[in-house]
Amino acid sequence: MEVDTCVQNEDVKISDCNETEMEEYHDTDKIVPPKTLDDLIKELHKVFASDKVNIEYVSALMNMYKSNPKDWKKFAKFDPHRYTRNLVDEGNGKFNLMILCWNTAQASSIHDHANSHCFLKVIEGHLNEELFDWPENEEIHQMEPIKKSRLDLNEVGYMSDELGIHRIENPSHTDNAVSLHLYCPPFDECQTFDQFTGHKRSAEVTFWSKFGKRTPFGKEQSKKK
């Protein structure tokens, strides 16, 4: 990823920008490490006040925050049957910041990001990522990962539809995992893919909780289990 690559909120595209276009939130050497999750959120609001956001800057900022469970435990809601998405901050409509909770051996489906940009930071445990190419046609074929990687505690990853589609998994059978995700811009629907056929379908994106409190969706799902 090049230093001058930026996210443009208006048309959600990645384009090359020079230093004058990037203004003050460009030089990663000038970042003051956030001491708390609240500090990180305040700084993200400043960064995303611009229409052009540097990908490396956001990644470096999230990397410099060192996980402290006291900061995020109130947002971490687990479910024994599925991983959960828990909204932490709505980012003035420009981004969503959320905590995903992964019980043992839980995984996402293979999915895209609806032309959004995804920043992922592990704040407890570790996660595995499998990267896939986009299916070329509607013919039935099994999807094989083109890359596998592991994200350990406090490591940050980045994903966009230009890079492909992916699946995230907590491979541990003994320990939970928790991750902090930033999506720019927010989205409420994505595509998921069947690994054995390559076929896709639209999936609604929901929150298990918002700001530490269960959503109606979460309560309804809990009753069904």
Side-chain angles (χ1 to χ4, degrees):
M1 190 179 300
E2 297 181 1
V3 173
D4 288 327
T5 300
C6 71
V7 178
Q8 296 189 38
N9 285 327
E10 292 180 350
D11 53 11
V12 202
K13 292 182 179 179
I14 297 178
S15 62
D16 292 331
C17 308
N18 59 42
E19 291 190 22
T20 58
E21 290 176 308
M22 293 310 304
E23 299 178 348
E24 58 183 311
Y25 297 109
H26 174 81
D27 189 349
T28 58
D29 292 333
K30 295 181 179 179
I31 296 177
V32 177
K35 294 181 179 180
T36 67
L37 180 59
D38 284 342
D39 289 344
L40 174 62
I41 292 171
K42 290 176 183 177
E43 194 64 19
L44 287 170
H45 274 260
K46 295 177 183 177
V47 173
F48 281 88
S50 171
D51 286 332
K52 294 179 180 178
V53 179
N54 184 274
I55 290 174
E56 281 200 354
Y57 191 95
V58 176
S59 294
L61 178 61
M62 292 184 66
N63 185 65
M64 289 183 186
Y65 165 67
K66 302 308 176 186
S67 176
N68 183 346
K70 292 181 180 179
D71 293 344
W72 51 259
K73 278 291 187 183
K74 62 183 177 181
F75 301 111
K77 310 293 183 182
F78 285 87
D79 184 278
H81 304 286
R82 51 165 290 174
Y83 76 94
T84 64
R85 304 170 79 254
N86 305 281
L87 184 65
V88 175
D89 191 88
E90 292 181 307
N92 291 331
K94 290 190 173 181
F95 68 88
N96 274 344
L97 187 70
M98 64 191 74
I99 283 177
L100 273 61
C101 295
W102 311 82
N103 223 315
T104 54
Q106 288 181 340
S108 73
S109 59
I110 302 171
H111 61 279
D112 70 2
H113 291 88
N115 291 320
S116 184
H117 303 277
C118 170
F119 301 85
L120 181 163
K121 179 183 179 72
V122 176
I123 55 178
E124 183 172 281
H126 70 276
L127 294 171
N128 287 350
E129 178 187 33
E130 291 182 309
L131 181 66
F132 298 83
D133 281 329
W134 286 85
E136 293 183 359
N137 50 53
E138 295 297 324
E139 294 181 4
I140 295 177
H141 67 91
Q142 183 163 330
M143 300 175 65
E144 298 292 343
I146 58 174
K147 181 181 179 182
K148 296 182 179 181
S149 56
R150 168 173 164 149
L151 287 168
D152 289 313
L153 181 65
N154 285 314
E155 289 188 335
V156 174
Y158 169 79
M159 185 64 185
S160 74
D161 288 347
E162 291 194 1
L163 300 177
I165 52 183
H166 76 168
R167 173 169 55 203
I168 300 294
E169 175 189 19
N170 175 13
S172 176
H173 291 273
T174 57
D175 299 317
N176 293 338
V178 183
S179 50
L180 182 68
H181 294 238
L182 186 152
Y183 297 101
C184 166
F187 59 93
D188 55 17
E189 187 176 272
C190 70
Q191 296 181 104
T192 62
F193 299 80
D194 186 316
Q195 183 173 0
F196 299 103
T197 66
H199 289 171
K200 65 183 178 181
R201 68 178 182 88
S202 295
E204 183 183 3
V205 176
T206 56
F207 294 110
W208 191 252
S209 71
K210 291 184 177 182
F211 318 117
K213 296 182 179 180
R214 275 290 183 90
T215 61
F217 170 81
K219 293 177 182 178
E220 180 181 341
Q221 290 299 307
S222 181
K223 291 177 182 178
K224 292 180 181 180
K225 301 302 184 184

